[in-house]
Amino acid sequence: MKKFNIRKVLDGLTAVSSPSSSPQTGAKENDFIIPETLQSEHFQLCKTVRHGFPYQPSSMAFDPVQKILAIGTQSGALRLFGRPGVECYCQHESGAAVIQLQFLINEGALVSALADDSIHLWNLRQKRPAVLHSLKFNRERITFCHLPFQSKWLYVGTERGNIHIVNVESFTLSGYTIMWNKAIELSSKAHPGPVVHISDNPMDEGKLIIGFESGIVVLWDLKSKKADYRYTYDEAIHSVAWHHEGKQFICSHSDGTLTIWNIKSPAKPAQTITPHGKQPKDGKKPEPCKPILKVEYKTTRAGDPYMILSGGLSYDTVGRRPCLTVMHGKSTAVLEMDYPIVDFLTLCETPYPNDFQEPYAVVVLLEKDLVVIDLAQNGYPIFENPYPLTIHESPVTCCEYVADCPVDLIPALYSVGSRQKRQGYSKKVHISYTFVFIHCQKKGKKYFRHFSFLMLQVLYKLKTAKVFEKTRSKEEKPNTEIVDEDPFAIQLMSWCPDSRMLCVAGVSAHVIIYRFSKQEITTEVVQLLEVRLQYELNDLESPEGGGYQTPAPPTPSTSPSPQTSGPQTHHSTSSNSSDGIRDNVPCLKVRNSPLKQSPGYQVELVVQLVWVSGEPPQQISSLAINSSYGLVVFGNTNGLAVVDYLQKTVLLNLSTVELYGSNDPYQRQPRSPRKSRQPSGAKMSRKLSLPTELKPDLDNRDNSFSRSRSSSVTSIDKEAREAITSFYFCETYTRKTDSTLTPALWVGTSLGTVLSISLSMPPAGEQRLLQPVIVSPSGTLVRLKGSILRMAFLDATGSFLPPPSELWYEPNAPANGEERERVRKRRPVSVSPSTSQELNEHQYAVVCSEKQAKVIALPSQTCIFKHNITETSFVLRTDVVQTVPGICVACFCANGHIMTLSLPGLRPLLDVNYLPLTDMRIARTFCFTNLGQAMYLTSPTEIQRITYSQDVCENLQEMLGELFTPVETPEAPNRGFFKGLFGGGAQSLDREELFGETGAGKASRSLAQHIPGPGGIEGMKGAASGIVGDLARARIALDERGQKLSEVEERTAAMMASADSFSKHAHELKPYQLACKLRT
């Protein structure tokens, strides 16, 4: 444990470890030792797990024995899903699209084929799968792959129509090749097109069916190396499927038809079906339909077979959603999907293709979702997915990540959220949880999700748009379409886990305050406050000398009269003025009808900013809520407003300039008269941006953010407004002369200024609802370079001081109930024992901006430590977080660096260039939280979790789940007596003799290049563990065989004893037999 003696630091006797982190003079009151437990060895950065739906999926595969689902994407990513809680993310180095996946069933391996004409073998016998072998084709493009069950020979079809065979153990090509010109008729001169399907006959492994895109299907005899039959149809083929008996197969075509062929009747199909085509009465050919992209043919013992297909709809069904068709006997069910179908698989009871499949479910991979359909129940309901892959229904606009929640919070959210689930699921899955992740969408929806270490689950969904009226007529559209984005989109949120109070700010300059309740209520009238935030000055000029000195605080004064209307029980009737300028009108209409609110988060108050003199309200750039004080504060480029949500009043409504009072460090000129005003129907250009109103854009040349200070609102005066960027409620020393802690609100601005606002709170209980809260600005405290992002407080020992908060209570409990009688409890502010022993209490304020971090001693307001975080870039997200060893400052910069600083010394502990190719989505969603965790949206549909804790990185391997577990392969189907006698069962093939180097020779080296994979030691360990499992199973089998042999020996010994006894008795009878013969 390293200790800092601040007196020695100030006297220059010892040096701080970092040259950019410097102590400041004048901190004599801090004459005691502050221990710092964090060191550089406590930090390490690594990815942990990825959640959400795979972005832009392209292929899918399923291992029916191991129960593992694999999904490939267009960016070369692999997502593997095992039992609930076991999932894995892998990435191909090339980044090429995954066109097909094939499992080595129950072998712990997976083959992937990519669009760059390479195939890869993945080892799944380890917690982090790795590539063991790769094979890159040089002269031909891969179009289709097929790996027979329990075979090590992979068939690879190409765009030229040829088929090559790969040994998956050594990943080398066989000399056996099926050329397209030998497969088709010799008289045919036309090329059959790419190979679109390969599969072997379920009953004869020596017969291979090959489907060409042009409509030709060939039944190839592997032993004789020639085609037995050729089947020709005049429409292009998309897929082929076998009947399990191997006597029939079915093809899907580009005109929406299905053709069923008998293998020994190649002249014409046995049956032609157009599932969605209109059948003409005169016997003509049905009207063509859309292509059937895939068909599967599955049989059952007790009933009719299933034919499952995607596509094939009639062309006249314009606007109809994508469909999956299930044909079973005489019934045809058309199941509409929300998104286009990428692929589907039928899950069956047996992995053997030559047995009755007995299908029980269909997995449908959509562009933005994964659906599992239950085939065993009427109506084909869907299974509730144990992996809630879909993070959202619209783009995510902001995220918060909360760790170490109160023990009763997540069960409460799960309890109310479970009632929101849709009906009609086939079954339900329940799991446990510990973390909470909240994200908001452009549609005005808020999702509460839980994180365990590997699991993500939806807990609760909240729709904020229910508070507002829906647009029903064209006349109302100007009121709701003043923004380019969805008018209900959520931009900021503030959540108190202890009290469960929630506050959200929308893009239409509205703030909604929610209170959590377990009881359903009906709100007759939604409480509404309308606030006018107006800016009257512009043309800021920085003071001489850089302007980073701390000016003296002004004399406290009373709060100006708020520019606001009182609490409203109906909507504002203000409208356009006589000259057509809109004034005092909100962007959205709050509903005036009764609102039924289900258990969960219920609306407490709505606050809206209104138009001012034809100018729309500015975006809300910062937001905070405090349940202990009952206050909500929000700010934008014009100023800030403090709202008492208990009394439903506005306490303070000031511009940023008025917060400085008479000690404004900037020279601001009076605002010039406006040359033009926006008409009432004007549309405001507004985009969702970072809460700091800083809009960095991606520079493709240097892969870093280029800085832009442009505001989202245009002005003819080109005003450089000072926006409110951050808030922090605390109990601290507001002035240098204070000796006791008092409630306060710290305010950070975009010009790097931290100001203080004093809060005089009335007594708790009924007096809190009757007496007003007195709010008064206290002046400037400190200034930093760049916009203020985060503020926090430490006690005299350097421990973190969270904002005061109130414990949750049931707000809708009956008057005579126990919940109503229970006194509302406030969580006490932690006070260290050493603090109470001091004559003067001490605190430290930690302030972080885009460029700097400072530690301020209170009440002296002296900067004791300062650190320049970055010179060439700027900080996007920073938080004061708690780890197991201690607390630190975590920063994420626009150049992709992740850094941590010690507290209070601000020593650099970690600096890793993690995301050099960052973008606005990552910048908007990156979150730090306690316990060394962080997360961000790595794609529009996926969440990437990372850790910066050394302890978590070291134990990550143990925390991950096992994808592969040793499972016995099901027994092969019984051939039966007569099939075994007359040879009617499945015919096996010695592929090693046929495809091996002895029988087929060597393939051309120029055809493909073998690349060893980076499996490494871990892959060897995984293989070793698999070998150990195989040896264990072999040992068990030997023990069983030994037991059977011992039983046979015992029986043999018994038979020998019986034979000896019989022989003895026979010898005894022999004299009697001779005597009888002599007598006769």
Side-chain angles (χ1 to χ4, degrees):
M1 178 185 296
K2 183 160 184 175
K3 296 184 178 181
F4 279 92
N5 190 312
I6 295 180
R7 169 178 286 182
K8 291 183 179 180
V9 172
L10 298 177
D11 294 339
L13 298 178
T14 57
V16 181
S17 60
S18 171
S20 61
S21 178
S22 58
Q24 307 295 310
T25 59
K28 293 183 180 180
E29 65 182 69
N30 299 284
D31 189 12
F32 50 89
I33 295 175
I34 302 176
E36 285 193 2
T37 57
L38 287 178
Q39 302 298 328
S40 298
E41 54 266 22
H42 291 136
F43 294 92
Q44 183 182 346
L45 193 67
C46 67
K47 295 181 180 180
T48 54
V49 68
R50 182 170 293 199
H51 299 291
F53 184 77
Y55 184 55
Q56 295 179 336
S58 57
S59 58
M60 179 174 58
F62 183 71
D63 187 330
V65 180
Q66 287 289 323
K67 310 295 184 185
I68 302 175
L69 178 70
I71 298 177
T73 71
Q74 295 182 18
S75 61
L78 280 180
R79 294 287 298 278
L80 300 166
F81 302 93
R83 58 186 178 275
V86 179
E87 56 181 291
C88 183
Y89 166 78
C90 310
Q91 177 68 47
H92 292 90
E93 291 184 1
S94 65
V98 181
I99 59 175
Q100 197 172 355
L101 296 171
Q102 289 277 315
F103 272 103
L104 277 70
I105 296 176
N106 203 28
E107 295 292 335
L110 174 71
V111 175
S112 58
L114 305 189
D116 64 352
D117 309 313
S118 62
I119 55 177
H120 307 267
L121 178 65
W122 291 84
N123 179 18
L124 307 184
R125 291 176 178 259
Q126 57 194 64
K127 293 184 177 181
R128 287 189 177 272
V131 175
L132 296 177
H133 300 281
S134 298
L135 195 64
K136 181 72 168 64
F137 281 76
N138 299 322
R139 295 183 299 183
E140 298 189 54
R141 306 216 63 180
I142 298 173
T143 57
F144 194 87
C145 296
H146 171 64
L147 181 65
F149 179 48
Q150 294 182 330
S151 170
K152 67 176 184 179
W153 297 97
L154 174 72
Y155 301 101
V156 180
T158 68
E159 193 174 33
R160 293 186 180 180
N162 303 324
I163 296 177
H164 304 279
I165 301 172
V166 179
N167 186 326
V168 295
E169 290 182 350
S170 60
F171 242 55
T172 55
L173 277 174
S174 168
Y176 191 110
T177 304
I178 303 175
M179 307 301 291
W180 67 270
N181 53 358
K182 294 183 179 179
I184 65 173
E185 293 280 357
L186 297 178
S187 59
S188 177
K189 297 182 180 180
H191 192 279
V195 176
V196 297
H197 181 83
I198 308 170
S199 61
D200 50 348
N201 190 316
M203 287 295 181
D204 189 351
E205 296 176 351
K207 306 293 183 180
L208 194 69
I209 200 166
I210 307 168
F212 296 94
E213 188 180 55
S214 62
I216 298 174
V217 179
V218 176
L219 185 65
W220 182 264
D221 190 319
L222 292 170
K223 292 182 179 180
S224 63
K225 300 182 181 181
K226 65 178 183 179
D228 285 351
Y229 300 101
R230 298 177 178 90
Y231 315 85
T232 305
Y233 194 71
D234 55 1
E235 294 291 341
I237 290 177
H238 286 276
S239 68
V240 182
W242 278 103
H243 188 279
H244 85 277
E245 292 180 348
K247 298 178 180 179
Q248 286 185 335
F249 62 90
I250 185 171
C251 302
S252 67
H253 299 276
S254 58
D255 63 344
T257 59
L258 298 173
T259 55
I260 300 176
W261 300 80
N262 293 325
I263 60 171
K264 294 185 178 180
S265 302
K268 65 176 183 178
Q271 188 178 0
T272 302
I273 306 171
T274 308
H276 298 286
K278 297 179 181 179
Q279 300 292 338
K281 296 181 180 179
D282 54 1
K284 294 182 180 179
K285 188 177 181 179
E287 296 179 0
C289 296
K290 297 178 183 178
I292 298 178
L293 301 178
K294 185 176 181 179
V295 63
E296 290 199 350
Y297 197 14
K298 303 298 179 182
T299 56
T300 61
R301 297 181 187 275
D304 297 317
Y306 285 87
M307 282 190 289
I308 305 169
L309 55 105
S310 62
L313 295 178
S314 176
Y315 280 104
D316 59 4
T317 56
V318 179
R320 189 169 183 178
R321 292 189 296 180
C323 296
L324 183 80
T325 304
V326 180
M327 302 173 65
H328 184 217
K330 296 182 179 180
S331 67
T332 301
V334 180
L335 309 176
E336 290 189 346
M337 302 294 160
D338 293 332
Y339 307 102
I341 298 174
V342 177
D343 195 4
F344 73 89
L345 294 172
T346 307
L347 307 187
C348 303
E349 296 290 349
T350 176
Y352 293 93
N354 58 353
D355 193 12
F356 288 97
Q357 277 82 46
E358 303 293 344
Y360 61 87
V362 180
V363 181
V364 187
L365 178 63
L366 308 178
E367 281 189 358
K368 296 182 180 180
D369 201 0
L370 184 74
V371 177
V372 184
I373 300 169
D374 188 356
L375 295 178
Q377 296 189 28
N378 295 330
Y380 304 126
I382 63 173
F383 289 92
E384 185 176 5
N385 197 338
Y387 298 95
L389 298 177
T390 305
I391 298 176
H392 54 79
E393 300 170 3
S394 58
V396 173
T397 56
C398 60
C399 299
E400 292 293 337
Y401 188 10
V402 183
D404 198 18
C405 299
V407 293
D408 59 340
L409 175 63
I410 298 177
L413 289 171
Y414 186 87
S415 176
V416 296
S418 60
R419 309 178 195 180
Q420 298 178 330
K421 294 182 179 179
R422 295 172 294 168
Q423 301 299 318
Y425 285 112
S426 178
K427 65 178 183 180
K428 296 185 180 295
V429 179
H430 302 278
I431 49 180
S432 59
Y433 28 76
T434 53
F435 293 82
V436 166
F437 158 59
I438 315 173
H439 63 88
C440 302
Q441 307 174 10
K442 287 187 177 181
K443 295 295 184 183
K445 296 180 182 178
K446 180 185 288 285
Y447 283 80
F448 289 76
R449 295 179 179 268
H450 99 265
F451 282 145
S452 63
F453 189 78
L454 293 174
M455 216 29 207
L456 169 70
Q457 184 190 17
V458 177
L459 292 177
Y460 178 75
K461 180 172 68 173
L462 175 64
K463 295 182 179 181
T464 61
K466 291 183 177 180
V467 181
F468 303 101
E469 294 283 357
K470 295 181 179 179
T471 303
R472 298 178 181 176
S473 61
K474 294 182 179 180
E475 291 76 11
E476 297 179 4
K477 285 188 177 181
N479 294 334
T480 57
E481 290 189 355
I482 63 169
V483 292
D484 292 337
E485 306 292 339
D486 191 298
F488 306 113
I490 298 171
Q491 189 174 8
L492 295 171
M493 54 186 166
S494 178
W495 186 44
C496 176
D498 292 321
S499 64
R500 305 180 192 174
M501 292 297 299
L502 173 67
C503 186
V504 299
V507 71
S508 297
H510 62 273
V511 175
I512 309 176
I513 303 163
Y514 290 91
R515 191 184 292 274
F516 186 85
S517 175
K518 294 182 179 180
Q519 299 183 14
E520 181 179 304
I521 63 171
T522 300
T523 303
E524 296 296 330
V525 178
V526 177
Q527 294 290 321
L528 170 66
L529 286 177
E530 293 181 352
V531 180
R532 293 171 62 94
L533 275 179
Q534 194 170 5
Y535 185 85
E536 294 297 341
L537 299 174
N538 65 356
D539 299 333
L540 277 67
E541 295 182 7
S542 298
E544 296 180 359
Y548 292 105
Q549 68 274 14
T550 304
T555 305
S557 60
T558 57
S559 171
S561 58
Q563 300 176 0
T564 178
S565 58
Q568 308 231 350
T569 57
H570 57 83
H571 297 286
S572 174
T573 57
S574 301
S575 59
N576 302 338
S577 60
S578 58
D579 57 354
I581 298 175
R582 179 174 298 185
D583 187 65
N584 218 34
V585 178
C587 300
L588 299 173
K589 266 187 182 177
V590 176
R591 61 184 297 167
N592 52 15
S593 58
L595 176 63
K596 184 178 180 181
Q597 304 195 68
S598 302
Y601 278 98
Q602 300 169 351
V603 179
E604 177 84 3
L605 178 66
V606 178
V607 183
Q608 288 184 292
L609 298 182
V610 296
W611 287 64
V612 178
S613 301
E615 182 177 328
Q618 305 300 302
Q619 256 184 22
I620 295 174
S621 58
S622 53
L623 177 71
I625 188 171
N626 187 275
S627 58
S628 180
Y629 302 151
L631 302 180
V632 166
V633 60
F634 58 91
N636 58 13
T637 55
N638 286 338
L640 63 84
V642 181
V643 176
D644 185 344
Y645 66 80
L646 297 179
Q647 297 186 18
K648 310 294 188 298
T649 58
V650 177
L651 302 176
L652 185 69
N653 180 5
L654 287 180
S655 67
T656 313
V657 179
E658 292 173 308
L659 287 173
Y660 288 97
S662 60
N663 294 297
D664 188 358
Y666 299 103
Q667 299 175 9
R668 309 179 198 247
Q669 301 297 325
R671 179 182 233 175
S672 59
R674 294 195 173 273
K675 299 177 183 179
S676 63
R677 296 194 183 270
Q678 296 182 354
S680 60
K683 188 171 184 178
M684 179 178 61
S685 175
R686 174 177 293 171
K687 298 291 183 182
L688 289 170
S689 63
L690 290 174
T692 59
E693 286 294 316
L694 303 173
K695 291 193 167 186
D697 298 318
L698 200 65
D699 189 343
N700 294 326
R701 290 173 297 180
D702 60 359
N703 295 326
S704 63
F705 278 112
S706 64
R707 191 58 181 277
S708 173
R709 286 272 183 181
S710 61
S711 175
S712 60
V713 179
T714 58
S715 173
I716 59 173
D717 298 324
K718 298 181 181 180
E719 299 160 328
R721 299 181 177 179
E722 184 177 10
I724 305 296
T725 57
S726 61
F727 296 110
Y728 198 87
F729 285 99
C730 54
E731 290 191 358
T732 184
Y733 305 97
T734 306
R735 301 171 185 86
K736 292 182 179 181
T737 57
D738 288 350
S739 59
T740 58
L741 300 174
T742 57
L745 170 65
W746 280 34
V747 181
T749 72
S750 58
L751 296 184
T753 305
V754 177
L755 304 106
S756 176
I757 297 177
S758 298
L759 306 175
S760 179
M761 305 299 301
E766 295 183 0
Q767 295 298 317
R768 173 63 182 85
L769 302 177
L770 299 176
Q771 299 182 17
V773 178
I774 301 175
V775 182
S776 58
S778 301
T780 306
L781 295 172
V782 66
R783 298 196 66 237
L784 284 76
K785 293 180 181 179
S787 176
I788 303 297
L789 300 180
R790 283 292 182 271
M791 295 173 284
F793 286 82
L794 311 178
D795 64 12
T797 62
S799 300
F800 178 70
L801 289 174
S805 61
E806 185 181 68
L807 298 180
W808 177 80
Y809 66 95
E810 175 56 60
N812 300 319
N816 56 353
E818 295 181 1
E819 289 285 342
R820 181 66 66 180
E821 294 177 358
R822 191 179 69 177
V823 180
R824 289 165 55 180
K825 298 181 180 179
R826 178 187 171 196
R827 192 184 71 175
V829 179
S830 61
V831 179
S832 61
S834 61
T835 304
S836 60
Q837 297 173 3
E838 297 288 333
L839 296 177
N840 296 322
E841 295 180 332
H842 300 285
Q843 278 187 347
Y844 299 97
V846 182
V847 184
C848 299
S849 72
E850 297 172 319
K851 295 287 187 178
Q852 290 181 323
K854 286 186 178 181
V855 176
I856 312 299
L858 299 175
S860 68
Q861 299 181 10
T862 304
C863 178
I864 60 172
F865 287 104
K866 180 178 72 173
H867 178 77
N868 293 324
I869 300 174
T870 177
E871 295 292 343
T872 59
S873 184
F874 60 97
V875 178
L876 289 170
R877 182 69 184 249
T878 180
D879 283 292
V880 176
V881 293
Q882 291 181 301
T883 62
V884 176
I887 62 173
C888 65
V889 177
C891 306
F892 172 57
C893 295
N895 59 6
H897 283 247
I898 292 179
M899 295 180 263
T900 60
L901 307 173
S902 68
L903 284 176
L906 296 180
R907 292 179 300 112
L909 301 174
L910 176 72
D911 188 352
V912 178
N913 188 5
Y914 176 68
L915 286 173
L917 296 175
T918 188
D919 56 24
M920 276 299 295
R921 179 185 61 253
I922 298 175
R924 184 182 294 121
T925 59
F926 199 100
C927 301
F928 290 104
T929 189
N930 296 331
L931 307 180
Q933 302 288 327
M935 59 135 294
Y936 60 93
L937 255 70
T938 185
S939 73
T941 61
E942 293 174 289
I943 301 167
Q944 179 65 57
R945 291 172 63 189
I946 63 175
T947 180
Y948 48 93
S949 169
Q950 172 69 25
D951 183 59
V952 176
C953 290
E954 289 179 351
N955 298 300
L956 181 61
Q957 193 70 15
E958 298 179 3
M959 298 176 183
L960 296 175
E962 294 281 356
L963 275 172
F964 178 82
T965 54
V967 178
E968 291 292 337
T969 303
E971 293 185 2
N974 189 2
R975 297 173 60 188
F977 174 75
F978 291 103
K979 287 186 177 181
L981 184 62
F982 298 106
Q987 302 296 319
S988 61
L989 175 70
D990 188 353
R991 295 188 177 95
E992 184 67 33
E993 180 182 352
L994 193 61
F995 302 145
E997 186 175 333
T998 304
K1002 293 183 178 181
S1004 173
R1005 293 184 178 181
S1006 61
L1007 182 61
Q1009 178 186 2
H1010 177 261
I1011 304 172
I1017 298 175
E1018 188 175 0
M1020 295 174 63
K1021 291 180 180 179
S1025 64
I1027 294 172
V1028 171
D1030 294 339
L1031 290 175
R1033 289 193 295 271
R1035 188 179 297 110
I1036 294 173
L1038 288 174
D1039 292 341
E1040 293 177 352
R1041 185 180 179 186
Q1043 292 177 2
K1044 293 179 179 179
L1045 287 175
S1046 62
E1047 292 177 359
V1048 171
E1049 290 177 357
E1050 291 176 358
R1051 292 177 184 175
T1052 304
M1055 293 176 63
M1056 291 178 64
S1058 177
D1060 291 340
S1061 176
F1062 179 79
S1063 175
K1064 181 179 180 180
H1065 289 294
H1067 284 294
E1068 292 177 353
L1069 290 174
K1070 193 172 182 180
Y1072 294 101
Q1073 292 177 349
L1074 293 174
C1076 291
K1077 287 182 179 180
L1078 292 173
R1079 289 177 184 176
T1080 56

